[in-house]
Amino acid sequence: MVNMRSSLFPKLSLILVGGISLIAQGIVFIPTLFSFILHTLPPWGNIALGIILFIAAIFLYIALTNRVSKKSFLGRRSNGTLLAIQAFTFAGVFFLLENSGSRAREVGFLLSGIITALTTYGLYLSLRPVKGSAAQHADKKEADSESVYVFDPGTDVKALNEQVASLTRQLSAEKKRTTQLTFLNELSQQLEAELDPPVAAQLAVNTLEKAMDCSMAALMMYESDKDELVVLAAAGSSSHIIPPGYRQGAAKGLLGRVIRLKKTQIVNDTRLDPDFIPLNNETTLSVINVPIIQHGHVQGILEICSDKEYAFSGADAAIVEGVASELMRAWERSSYHQRLTELIQAGISLTTLLDPQAAVQEVAVIARKTLAARFVFVTLLDQQGNFSRTASAGDAPILLTSLNNNSSNEPLMQAALNATKPFRVRDLRKYTTARKMEIDNTSLRSVLAIPIRLHRLSIGTILAFGKQEGIFFSENDESLADLLSSQAAASIESSWLYQELRNTLNITSMLYQLSVDVLQTEELGNAAELIAQAAHKVTNAKETGIVLLTREGQIQADVEIDANGLHRRKKHPTEIINQAIQSGQSIIVSVETGSLVSYPLQTRSRTYGALWINIPESRGQNFANLQTLANQAAIALERSILLSELRQQAKQLEAAYAELEITYDRTLTALMSALDARDRETEGHSTRVSKLACLLGEAVGLSGSQLKALERGALLHDIGKIGISDTILHKPGKLTDNEWKIMRVHPDIGARIVEGIPFLQDTLSVIRYHHERWDGSGYPVGLSGKDIPIQARIFAVVDVFDALTSKRTYRKKSSPEEAIQYLREQSNILFDPEIVEALSRLPYSEFIEGEKHIT
């Protein structure tokens, strides 16, 4: 009984010491499990406590083994070897994992714990005596009853070493994996910034070269149109073997196999792979090739090379695939921001387009570039709901013909017009079963439909077909399309307003000329011809006729214009003519060929006849212009008839003509007041400078016609700003260089607006050259000295004087004297010195903003 207790005590003590050793290692490697004990200690306290316990455990091991070493199978040397293995394992793992993550430290604790368990087990076996030893002779009965265990120390130590080596390899692999994940996380953070694709690619290969411990990491871009791969970035000790701009056909080799299969390829012995094509002096034996895929299409290939056999595993391939995914996302972000920036810049140029057709064509070009579409079709509705203007960008003749022939009946077009937001169609061929739009090839089957909406009404559509370098449009494309739609609507509205203004000016000019011509005629028949020709030109009608009546209702003169030219008509549409004359209002009747319209030619004193027009429905018409023409024609007729009947009233007619001219001037004044109101800071500017310019023109000796041209030019000097975007015109801060370039074209825009209007021809010198300067530093031409027309020189001085004496948000208002002083300082530099001196002699203080006595 005593012997049993004496042999059991060392064994239990040994198990207890092993537990102490395990607790010590747990405190050192994974202190979070013992936080309930260690929370009161400083950060270094857990390491100190663990090491103290471990050393205490080692000393207890030694004490126990010394006690039983004489009767054990293993001597002190063998026991010391086991304890040394445990101690060195603990120290090695501790220093190896000093700065590693929690997962690696748990694996280290597992390795060290296994070594401790094996050491304890080996020492446990050493407590059993050998048969025939001195202990057996001391107690033969106990020795006879015990079985003999033969222990081979060489074999067990070798097994322990192999286990230690295996666990060490696992620990190294885990640490490598942790390092790779760290590099991948750092790359992901770097790629969050907006980087150009080559920069992002170089960061990716640099990261892979460090993480994979390889001889070379390279990225090759796939050019689908050429079916070639071109090197974009490379890193590593062997990267010099790739020539600059290296290209390779995409249909051959290992890289070609990656493109065909669209899957990662791992080759751990390139000598056994027939598809591997080595470069000059290349010693690569292991390769990982990972495709970079976007929307199902290969955009490039990441290639990792090593000079060693079997250098890569599936885990390494997963790391490279993660880099490929991060790189693709970075490219998509960079592409989106770049396209967004270009779209915003393009929007500024769109607002300067004054012709609706030019605006529609530019929208098509910008849409194709922004959305990376293969083909874009844009259509615009007219006032009657017809597709009056179309434009396209890209090469798709079959699709273009189909759209032009079936625009009004195409379901996709109607769906786009009825939509409030852009929408995507994955496959056009499956969009509707009733009709199928013909397309040139399957790459055009995806569609991005974009409604162009103005004031909550659809005025047109943009259809983008086929994604370049892919098939389908993305959510990013849809987001850009929404902004594009807004910019297109703004550009078209701006061009419409410009056209409306130009048409109004043309109508005004034509009416003015008609009045002049009718007044100059002595025959009533000639007057009727002039009115009919003007109406026919304005409406582009199929037929136009006029009937003039005497006071008794008899036909006094009549004429018709049709395809055969100007001639008399035997029978006019008397029914509609009589209705118009009797009602005193315009009559519109729908006929087979379009619309038949009749306007009475009447004034307050008398009805002179009627004007009738046959207008094709497809062309549409602004009937307000026709009514204005009829009213003006009646007035002109009245003047002409009175002139032919009563020559003695010539002075009255002359006064009426002068009144008419004043009306036009007032119209121009009202027009420019409306334009001035567009910019509150310059409101009233045109009226003030017009009055002061005329006074200064008289002072320098201008003739009456020159003064009239100066007056009208002063009123219209900034009419070109109708073509400048409000974003630039109302910008509170300083304009950029590009915005200044756009702002400086307003004199040319204004000149183009009025150059076709005969009675405004004399105003061109003021409108075009009012920003020219005496020393040649002005714009748009850069004239200098007396090469600048006299009216422009006069207006330039007056314009600056008014600007200086008016309130502005960016500076305080100058007094008239301060303004004159500035003009004198710039005399002979920016301004004509004679004109500046002439202004200084005038009562200029009466012509400043806020003076109520100016009339």
Side-chain angles (χ1 to χ4, degrees), residues 395-405 437-441:
D395 185 22
I398 297 175
L399 178 56
L400 178 60
T401 302
S402 178
L403 288 168
N404 283 328
N405 293 338
M437 189 183 299
E438 296 184 41
I439 58 178
D440 299 70
N441 51 68

Side-chain angles (χ1 to χ4, degrees), residues 253-478:
L254 182 58
L255 298 176
R257 189 168 77 197
V258 173
I259 292 176
R260 289 193 302 273
L261 299 178
K262 299 180 182 179
K263 292 183 179 179
T264 299
Q265 301 291 309
I266 303 177
V267 177
N268 277 318
D269 192 343
T270 57
R271 295 168 297 186
L272 303 178
D273 194 318
D275 287 335
F276 180 75
I277 303 175
L279 298 176
N280 295 331
N281 303 320
E282 185 175 3
T283 59
T284 298
L285 294 178
S286 298
V287 176
I288 299 177
N289 284 327
V290 174
I292 303 174
I293 299 177
Q294 181 185 31
H295 304 307
H297 293 267
V298 176
Q299 302 297 323
I301 297 177
L302 277 172
E303 184 175 61
I304 312 301
C305 303
S306 175
D307 297 339
K308 304 174 183 177
E309 298 179 2
Y310 296 92
F312 304 120
S313 64
D316 296 325
I319 291 294
V320 182
E321 290 172 347
V323 171
S325 299
E326 288 291 338
L327 191 59
M328 192 67 257
R329 284 192 288 270
W331 284 350
E332 288 179 343
R333 287 193 300 270
S334 175
S335 173
Y336 176 78
H337 288 295
Q338 181 180 358
R339 289 188 292 158
L340 179 61
T341 301
E342 292 175 351
L343 179 57
I344 293 173
Q345 293 173 347
I348 297 175
S349 64
L350 268 178
T351 58
T352 63
L353 298 175
L354 305 179
D355 178 45
Q357 183 60 45
V360 171
Q361 182 60 53
E362 186 66 15
V363 167
V365 173
I366 292 174
R368 182 169 184 261
K369 181 179 180 181
T370 301
L371 303 175
R374 298 177 185 272
F375 178 76
V376 169
F377 182 79
V378 181
T379 185
L380 193 64
L381 295 175
D382 59 20
Q383 294 177 348
Q384 283 70 41
N386 300 317
F387 295 101
S388 59
R389 301 181 188 274
T390 61
S392 63
D395 185 22
I398 297 175
L399 178 56
L400 178 60
T401 302
S402 178
L403 288 168
N404 283 328
N405 293 338
N406 304 302
S407 293
S408 58
N409 299 321
E410 177 55 49
L412 178 61
M413 194 78 70
Q414 296 301 321
L417 285 173
N418 295 330
T420 58
K421 291 287 184 180
F423 63 91
R424 290 172 286 167
V425 176
R426 190 172 181 85
D427 193 340
L428 175 64
R429 298 169 299 180
K430 300 178 181 179
Y431 181 75
T432 175
T433 57
R435 295 180 56 83
K436 286 190 176 180
M437 189 183 299
E438 296 184 41
I439 58 178
D440 299 70
N441 51 68
T442 57
S443 63
L444 297 171
R445 67 179 183 269
S446 64
V447 184
L448 180 54
I450 310 165
I452 304 175
R453 294 176 62 81
L454 182 62
H455 306 308
R456 298 184 180 180
L457 295 176
S458 291
I459 61 172
T461 61
I462 304 172
L463 298 180
F465 297 86
K467 182 74 173 178
Q468 295 179 17
E469 303 297 335
I471 296 294
F472 306 113
F473 293 98
S474 64
E475 291 183 1
N476 284 344
D477 296 321
E478 195 171 321

Side-chain angles (χ1 to χ4, degrees), residues 7 10-11 14 64 68 71-72 122-129:
S7 63
K11 296 177 181 179
L14 187 61
L64 287 172
V68 299
K71 58 179 181 178
S72 65
L123 295 174
Y124 176 82
L125 293 177
S126 71
L127 298 178
R128 301 178 64 181

Side-chain angles (χ1 to χ4, degrees), residues 60 206 231 351 418 439 479 503 507 562 619 635 722 818:
L60 289 174
N206 289 346
V231 173
T351 58
N418 295 330
I439 58 178
S479 174
N503 290 338
I507 289 294
D562 56 17
R619 297 176 186 174
I635 295 172
I722 193 70
E818 290 173 340

Side-chain angles (χ1 to χ4, degrees), residues 82 183 220 254 267 363 382 524 568 578 680 825 846:
L82 292 175
F183 280 126
M220 306 189 74
L254 182 58
V267 177
V363 167
D382 59 20
L524 198 58
R568 297 197 61 183
N578 291 333
R680 295 180 179 176
E825 290 173 357
E846 299 177 4

Side-chain angles (χ1 to χ4, degrees), residues 610-625:
L611 174 69
W612 63 270
I613 309 164
N614 189 345
I615 306 174
E617 189 69 35
S618 61
R619 297 176 186 174
Q621 189 50 240
N622 186 349
F623 293 106
N625 288 338

Side-chain angles (χ1 to χ4, degrees), residues 804-805 812-823 825:
L804 290 172
T805 57
K812 66 178 183 178
K813 175 180 177 180
S814 299
S815 67
E817 291 72 23
E818 290 173 340
I820 291 295
Q821 180 62 32
Y822 171 81
L823 292 172
E825 290 173 357

